[in-house]
Amino acid sequence: MNLKIAARMTVVLALGAAMTAAFMALRGDGSQDASSPRSAHPGGEPAKIELARCRNIGMAAIADEACAKAWAENRRRFLRPSRPAAPYVPPSTEEDQSRLLPLRPSTWPAAEDQLRPSTVAP
């Protein structure tokens, strides 16, 4: 008997969840429109509409000024860095000289042999 009650409760909970999901899907988009970025442009983004028009006219879009402007704006929007790039400043060697080793000429043993005159034993 307990198994029947558990099965009925599971079915009732599943139906309730399904009805709730269906109600939320069909109730409308009132709460989503307020947070949607497309709410500012009901017909869609003007740039998207223009880019779609340029795509649809094909090769004639190359000579169209409006398409050139739309493409330039699209490139600017997507290729713009998120933050301005700081100019590269090389590190100054004048700031910290303490960590540099003193300069001394380095010589290899073979180089020292070449600098000495060779003597011949009599």
Side-chain angles (χ1 to χ4, degrees), residues 21-82:
F23 174 74
M24 290 179 73
L26 296 176
R27 73 180 172 136
D29 296 331
S31 65
Q32 291 178 355
D33 283 342
S35 65
S36 175
R38 293 185 179 199
S39 64
H41 304 286
E45 275 187 49
K48 279 189 175 183
I49 295 169
E50 186 64 27
L51 289 171
R53 184 188 71 83
C54 295
R55 183 182 62 235
N56 290 336
I57 63 175
M59 292 299 290
I62 295 172
D64 191 6
E65 259 187 66
C67 289
K69 287 180 183 178
W71 290 331
E73 174 64 24
N74 197 34
R75 280 191 304 272
R76 184 196 62 77
R77 191 176 77 202
F78 286 107
L79 299 178
R80 173 182 64 201
S82 60

Side-chain angles (χ1 to χ4, degrees), residues 1 3 5 19 22 25 32-35 37 58 60 66 85 94 105 114-115:
M1 181 103 171
L3 187 61
I5 293 174
M19 288 175 52
Q32 291 178 355
D33 283 342
S35 65
E94 297 172 1
Q114 291 175 356
L115 294 176

